[in-house]
Amino acid sequence: MGVGVSPPSGSEVPMTWPDAAGGRILGRSLLTVANVITVAAPVAADWNDSHIFNERWPGHARFHGVTALAMATSLSAVNIWSIWSDGSDPASARLYAATVPAAYWAPFFLALLVPGTAVDDPPHPVQRVAGVPVSLLGAAATIATAAAGWLIDRRSAVPSG
């Protein structure tokens, strides 16, 4: 040990980066979580009378709702398969597995800049935590999860030296 540095006591755990295998599993797992959320949360929130089966919505709006859900589901499914397969291009698999959730959820924030848009559609209010719609909190958390998975998986793929 260096001068002035004491060894960790029994109650202290030194902070270390996961080894390559552990980092790869952690990174893949976080990317998987982000992609599963990108499928499950929108289907749970939209495949009901507040969105897809909302009688006040025009047929074309419902069409776009279904196509958006189908696109997110198919892309996320391919991502999950790709990051866990033994494909020849793990860097691309990692990139796409992080990009699809970010591309799906980031527009939640962009949409707020368009006049006339809202996170609520009365009579279906969106729950809030500290005044912030849970849909936006979830979007931010899913983007952060995908980014963390990408970073951890990327770092585990870089040879330490």
Side-chain angles (χ1 to χ4, degrees):
M1 295 244 128
V3 176
V5 177
S6 60
S9 70
S11 64
E12 295 175 352
V13 177
M15 186 70 142
T16 60
W17 191 262
D19 64 6
R24 181 77 172 129
I25 290 171
L26 178 59
R28 287 180 184 182
S29 296
L30 290 171
L31 289 167
T32 298
V33 167
N35 278 275
V36 167
I37 290 169
T38 300
V39 172
V43 169
D46 296 354
W47 198 267
N48 56 48
D49 64 346
S50 73
H51 285 71
I52 302 299
F53 303 109
N54 187 334
E55 292 181 10
R56 296 180 303 129
W57 278 29
H60 192 66
R62 293 182 200 195
F63 171 86
H64 281 285
V66 171
T67 58
L69 292 175
M71 180 181 61
T73 299
S74 58
L75 290 173
S76 290
V78 169
N79 283 336
I80 293 167
W81 171 82
S82 182
I83 59 174
W84 290 102
S85 72
D86 289 328
S88 62
D89 192 1
S92 292
R94 172 177 53 245
L95 176 65
Y96 298 135
T99 301
V100 168
Y104 183 88
W105 295 104
F108 276 50
F109 302 98
L110 179 62
L112 296 174
L113 302 175
V114 178
T117 62
V119 296
D120 296 296
D121 186 19
H124 305 284
V126 173
Q127 292 179 337
R128 286 170 164 68
V129 173
V132 179
V134 294
S135 55
L136 298 181
L137 293 173
T142 305
I143 292 168
T145 301
W150 180 84
L151 286 168
I152 292 168
D153 189 62
R154 182 175 179 269
R155 179 155 180 163
S156 72
V158 176
S160 57

